[in-house]
Amino acid sequence: AQSVTQLDSHVSVSEGTPVLLRCNYSSSYSPSLFWYVQHPNKGLQLLLKYTSAATLVKGINGFEAEFKKSETSFHLTKPSAHMSDAAEYFCVVSDPLGTGRRALTFGSGTRLQVQP
Amino acid sequence: GAGVSQTPSNKVTEKGKYVELRCDPISGHTALYWYRQSLGQGPEFLIYFQGTGAADDSGLPNDRFFAVRPEGSVSTLKIQRTERGDSAVYLCASSPMTGTEQFFGPGTRLTVL
């Protein structure tokens, strides 16, 4: 069985300051890991994905995440928050691409608030 | 190009009624997924189609839920005898082939009164 735990349900930062959204995973395999963002009344959008290549993954809009197997973590970071980053962020795990169960397993989400 | 579309965007029904939710995947995508997102939670997997067949329906909560994809494109999620606990946003996603990135639609918000 696989699962993800998002350690913070809500994070508030000031515009221009760094963002850190924490995620720990549990998987029987070497997993594929994703971060999705959900803006109000919008569909889920893929920010970035890790699929066993480089452990530091760069995504859209300046976000990046580092896969740390020893810590079973996949934290999402951004050097400088922008007002438009305010949204719900989901850490997601799946079996390695091309194997196992196809479904995505989502964390419970972290709501990012950006203060002016 | 066009993304995944879902209709209706909102559906309000009464307890005990039957509802159908429709998903139009991205053209050419062979894999299609349904998820359910309850308030304050992450989406939860319901069912996955590869082509016309349901390859994994292990997430369907009970036999009131059923989904079809008769021609390998559009899919319909069907809920019989709706209950208040079925109220949620139902999300559809598609991918070019099994195991690749999933593209999500905007969802259908179902409210059962």
Side-chain angles (χ1 to χ4, degrees):
Chain A
Q2 54 195 12
S3 65
V4 287
T5 301
Q6 292 186 242
L7 300 171
D8 307 290
S9 59
H10 182 261
V11 170
S12 182
V13 301
S14 298
E15 190 175 20
T17 64
V19 175
L20 170 64
L21 306 184
R22 299 182 295 165
C23 172
N24 286 100
Y25 71 91
S26 173
S27 176
S28 302
Y29 304 91
S30 295
S32 293
L33 293 159
F34 309 81
W35 277 96
Y36 277 83
V37 60
Q38 188 175 40
H39 291 274
N41 301 316
K42 296 279 184 68
L44 285 158
Q45 181 184 20
L46 180 68
L47 275 179
L48 50 81
K49 60 183 177 182
Y50 165 78
T51 56
S52 77
T55 57
L56 182 62
V57 181
K58 295 188 183 298
I60 62 172
N61 300 334
F63 284 94
E64 62 182 38
E66 186 171 7
F67 173 72
K68 292 187 176 180
K69 186 174 181 179
S70 61
E71 298 176 9
T72 61
S73 69
F74 191 58
H75 302 334
L76 181 71
T77 60
K78 183 173 180 178
S80 176
H82 191 272
M83 295 296 291
S84 61
D85 294 329
E88 188 87 18
Y89 291 79
F90 292 97
C91 184
V92 181
V93 64
S94 76
D95 288 332
L97 292 180
T99 68
R101 192 165 183 242
R102 305 297 182 261
L104 301 177
T105 299
F106 285 76
S108 56
T110 298
R111 180 162 297 278
L112 176 65
Q113 185 177 18
V114 182
Q115 307 283 1
Chain B
V4 178
S5 63
Q6 294 185 246
T7 54
S9 56
N10 281 282
K11 176 70 176 179
V12 180
T13 190
E14 294 179 343
K15 180 175 179 295
K17 298 289 189 181
Y18 168 83
V19 296
E20 291 189 351
L21 311 179
R22 176 187 168 108
C23 172
D24 279 90
I26 294 172
S27 178
H29 281 194
T30 59
L32 185 146
Y33 309 79
W34 284 99
Y35 294 83
R36 178 169 70 172
Q37 186 175 18
S38 300
L39 191 63
Q41 298 181 20
E44 294 179 310
F45 170 73
L46 294 176
I47 186 170
Y48 148 64
F49 288 88
Q50 179 59 41
T52 60
D56 183 353
D57 64 356
S58 62
L60 295 177
N62 51 60
D63 61 6
R64 295 187 297 106
F65 288 75
F66 189 71
V68 295
R69 195 186 186 200
E71 298 179 356
S73 179
V74 170
S75 176
T76 304
L77 179 66
K78 309 181 181 194
I79 310 174
Q80 298 177 322
R81 304 182 304 279
T82 52
E83 300 177 357
R84 292 192 180 88
D86 299 335
S87 297
V89 176
Y90 289 80
L91 297 168
C92 176
S94 69
S95 66
M97 64 181 69
T98 299
T100 56
E101 175 186 344
Q102 296 182 24
F103 296 82
F104 282 82
T108 294
R109 182 176 298 278
L110 175 66
T111 303
V112 182
L113 301 177

